[in-house]
């Protein structure tokens, strides 16, 4: 079975993007690695929504050149540069396809829709969350309403000197 994990930053008020859809509010906290490079080295594939893909592409260099990348969207392809596959299938179908390809460690990069879809499909195994000491007031929520409740077990908490609180949970 594939290991599917979310690894994402959110504000104190649970938002992953500001009211304009930007993640620029994270920049003051980028000086720390937070274990990201070690985490990324263990990942085989990344899955994200179209908005997350657009935000990442706007940053310039593609962050995942050696990873299989899936963009969950029901809209037409965003671009044809071959960096990602655009897919309108369900989380289960995507997970099965990636596992068949031998890609067993899958990171649901964002946004809240794909993370919630994989969680509600019973596929999410770990939540690796970084609470950033900022209150945005409005924006894109990490947790969309209407999903199923899921029990989680706290595995680890780390408080960083810059105020970031890292929590890791096992789902189910």
């Amino acid at each position: 079975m594939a290991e599917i994990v979310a690894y994402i930053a959110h504000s104190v008020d649970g938002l992953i993007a500001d009211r304009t859809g930007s993640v620029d509010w994270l920049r003051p906290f980028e000086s720390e690695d937070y274990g990201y490079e070690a985490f990324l080295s263990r990942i085989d594939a990344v899955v994200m929504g179209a908005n997350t893909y657009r935000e990442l592409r706007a940053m310039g260099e593609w962050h995942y050149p050696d990873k299989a990348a899936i963009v969950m969207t029901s809209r037409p392809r965003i671009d044809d540069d071959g960096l990602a596959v655009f897919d309108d299938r369900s989380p289960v179908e995507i997970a099965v396809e990636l596992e068949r390809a031998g890609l067993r460690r899958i990171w649901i990069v964002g946004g809240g829709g794909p993370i919630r879809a994989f969680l509600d499909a019973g596929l999410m195994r770990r939540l690796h969350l970084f609470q950033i000491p900022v209150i945005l007031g409005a924006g894109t929520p990490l947790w969309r309403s209407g999903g199923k409740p899921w029990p989680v077990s706290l595995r680890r908490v780390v408080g960083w000197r810059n105020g970031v609180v890292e929590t890791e949970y096992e789902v189910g």
Side-chain angles (χ1 to χ4, degrees), residues 114-162:
I115 291 172
R116 190 74 213 198
F118 275 84
L119 179 65
D120 286 345
L123 298 169
M124 190 72 67
R125 294 293 168 252
R126 278 188 306 124
L127 302 172
H128 206 120
L129 308 175
F130 295 83
Q131 182 174 286
I132 308 300
V134 172
I135 296 173
L136 294 174
T140 305
L142 171 56
W143 303 113
R144 298 209 173 153
S145 63
K148 295 166 44 175
W150 287 93
V152 296
S153 301
L154 182 63
R155 293 293 173 226
R156 189 168 76 105
V157 177
V158 176
W160 293 82
R161 284 180 291 173
N162 62 3

Side-chain angles (χ1 to χ4, degrees), residues 5-25:
V5 60
Y7 181 103
I8 192 165
H10 62 88
S11 64
V12 170
D13 50 349
L15 303 174
I16 56 176
D18 67 17
R19 64 190 59 186
T20 67
S22 173
V23 295
D24 287 345
W25 58 276

Side-chain angles (χ1 to χ4, degrees), residues 36-165:
Y36 175 77
E37 291 300 326
F39 169 80
L40 188 60
S41 72
R42 295 186 305 271
I43 295 298
D44 298 321
V46 295
V47 177
M48 65 194 75
N51 290 338
T52 299
Y53 177 79
R54 280 189 204 91
E55 185 72 25
L56 288 169
R57 294 296 291 151
M59 293 177 184
E61 184 179 334
W62 181 237
H63 291 55
Y64 315 109
D66 60 340
K67 310 288 182 201
I70 306 291
V71 177
M72 293 179 72
T73 183
S74 58
R75 295 184 229 143
R77 296 179 64 91
I78 297 166
D79 57 40
D80 291 315
D81 58 14
L83 295 176
V85 172
F86 298 84
D87 202 320
D88 65 353
R89 293 179 296 165
S90 73
V92 171
E93 292 168 312
I94 291 170
V96 166
E97 180 72 22
L98 290 171
E99 193 167 10
R100 280 187 189 142
L103 305 172
R104 305 184 68 71
R105 291 169 301 221
I106 303 164
W107 173 20
I108 312 305
V109 177
I115 291 172
R116 190 74 213 198
F118 275 84
L119 179 65
D120 286 345
L123 298 169
M124 190 72 67
R125 294 293 168 252
R126 278 188 306 124
L127 302 172
H128 206 120
L129 308 175
F130 295 83
Q131 182 174 286
I132 308 300
V134 172
I135 296 173
L136 294 174
T140 305
L142 171 56
W143 303 113
R144 298 209 173 153
S145 63
K148 295 166 44 175
W150 287 93
V152 296
S153 301
L154 182 63
R155 293 293 173 226
R156 189 168 76 105
V157 177
V158 176
W160 293 82
R161 284 180 291 173
N162 62 3
V164 171
V165 177

